[in-house]
């Protein structure tokens, strides 16, 4: 579950990012959206291949993260926001919390229509968990890339791949829902 402090931090940061032009309101560019979606799929496919052939746990983690990064930016583009090049990973993480978290929760609720009260609670927890997984993977990617001591990368790679697949699935569902609402 996302901590209230993390949500507040993201809200403050996104206001500053908008003022500084690090994220901008921009009409949807279908070509850019296609590239982001293609990059997300290519990244997860690469992660799966690297993992299944036990080639590199490091690159399973990196490719898994990038699949999440690209699909997150695709969703943001669909919502009318373009992340700039400076501190793009931090901006994306914060923008997910501010702009995507609530929409993801709404989409998840639609899957739990039978018992609304329980569904609201479960959808909120799941939405936070999905969005939080991006933050976790962003942090892990940095640690794994820049630490020199040996750690159990295989277990971390498996976790990264699992999180990325779940994140991609839910973001694709959200993209489909956004298309339906047009």
């Amino acid at each position: 579950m996302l901590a209230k402090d993390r949500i507040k931090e993201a809200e403050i940061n996104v206001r500053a990012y908008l003022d500084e032009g690090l994220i901008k309101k921009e009409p949807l560019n279908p070509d850019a959206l296609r590239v982001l979606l293609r990059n997300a799929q290519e990244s997860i496919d690469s992660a799966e291949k690297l993992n299944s052939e036990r080639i590199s746990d490091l690159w399973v983690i990196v490719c898994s993260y990038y699949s999440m990064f690209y699909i997150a930016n695709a969703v943001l583009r669909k919502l009318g926001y373009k992340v700039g090049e400076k501190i793009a990973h931090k901006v994306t993480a914060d923008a997910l919390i501010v702009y995507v978290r609530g929409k993801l929760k709404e989409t998840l609720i639609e899957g739990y229509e039978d018992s609304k009260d329980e569904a609201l609670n479960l959808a909120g927890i799941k939405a936070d968990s999905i969005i939080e997984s991006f933050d976790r993977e962003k942090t892990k990617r940095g640690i794994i890339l820049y630490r020199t001591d040996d750690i159990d990368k295989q277990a971390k790679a498996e976790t990264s791949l699992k999180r990325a697949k779940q994140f991609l699935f839910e973001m694709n569902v959200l993209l489909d829902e956004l298309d339906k609402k047009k």
Side-chain angles (χ1 to χ4, degrees):
M1 186 96 163
L2 282 169
K4 288 181 182 176
D5 290 349
R6 177 66 184 104
I7 295 166
K8 190 72 174 161
E9 171 195 340
E11 290 168 346
I12 292 167
N13 288 347
V14 167
R15 281 192 292 276
Y17 300 153
L18 285 164
D19 290 344
E20 296 167 23
L22 297 174
I23 188 170
K24 297 177 182 175
K25 282 289 277 176
E26 188 174 286
L28 178 64
N29 176 334
D31 292 332
L33 183 64
R34 269 191 298 281
V35 168
L36 289 167
L37 293 171
R38 186 178 61 231
N39 288 351
Q41 189 60 52
E42 182 178 322
S43 296
I44 199 68
D45 291 346
S46 296
E48 287 177 324
K49 182 171 178 58
L50 291 165
N51 188 58
S52 69
E53 296 180 13
R54 305 284 355 126
I55 294 172
S56 170
D57 294 325
L58 167 67
W59 285 99
V60 170
I61 293 166
V62 172
C63 291
S64 294
Y65 168 73
Y66 271 95
S67 70
M68 297 169 80
F69 177 76
Y70 288 125
I71 194 78
N73 276 280
V75 170
L76 289 168
R77 288 302 285 264
K78 190 78 166 183
L79 293 173
Y81 295 95
K82 181 180 187 284
V83 174
E85 294 176 17
K86 289 184 181 176
I87 63 168
H89 297 270
K90 178 66 172 149
V91 173
T92 299
D94 289 339
L96 276 175
I97 293 169
V98 173
Y99 298 123
V100 178
R101 182 173 164 258
K103 295 198 180 311
L104 180 60
K105 185 176 176 180
E106 290 170 20
T107 300
L108 291 167
I109 288 171
E110 291 171 13
Y112 296 119
E113 280 297 321
D114 292 337
S115 61
K116 280 248 183 185
D117 290 338
E118 186 177 338
L120 283 169
N121 189 37
L122 289 173
I125 291 168
K126 186 171 181 181
D128 282 0
S129 175
I130 291 165
I131 298 298
E132 191 175 33
S133 71
F134 183 89
D135 264 351
R136 283 191 230 116
E137 289 304 312
K138 181 174 74 67
T139 300
K140 184 195 299 180
R141 178 194 62 100
I143 291 168
I144 297 293
L145 275 173
Y146 304 112
R147 269 179 63 173
T148 55
D149 55 334
D150 199 21
I151 57 175
D152 182 12
K153 290 182 184 171
Q154 184 176 357
K156 294 188 181 317
E158 292 286 339
T159 301
S160 293
L161 186 55
K162 180 180 173 188
R163 283 181 184 158
K165 286 179 179 180
Q166 178 69 30
F167 190 84
L168 250 59
F169 176 80
E170 297 297 348
M171 291 297 118
N172 276 312
V173 169
L174 179 57
L175 284 169
D176 289 344
E177 288 300 315
L178 292 171
D179 280 340
K180 289 178 189 174
K181 292 180 181 176
K182 277 190 158 185

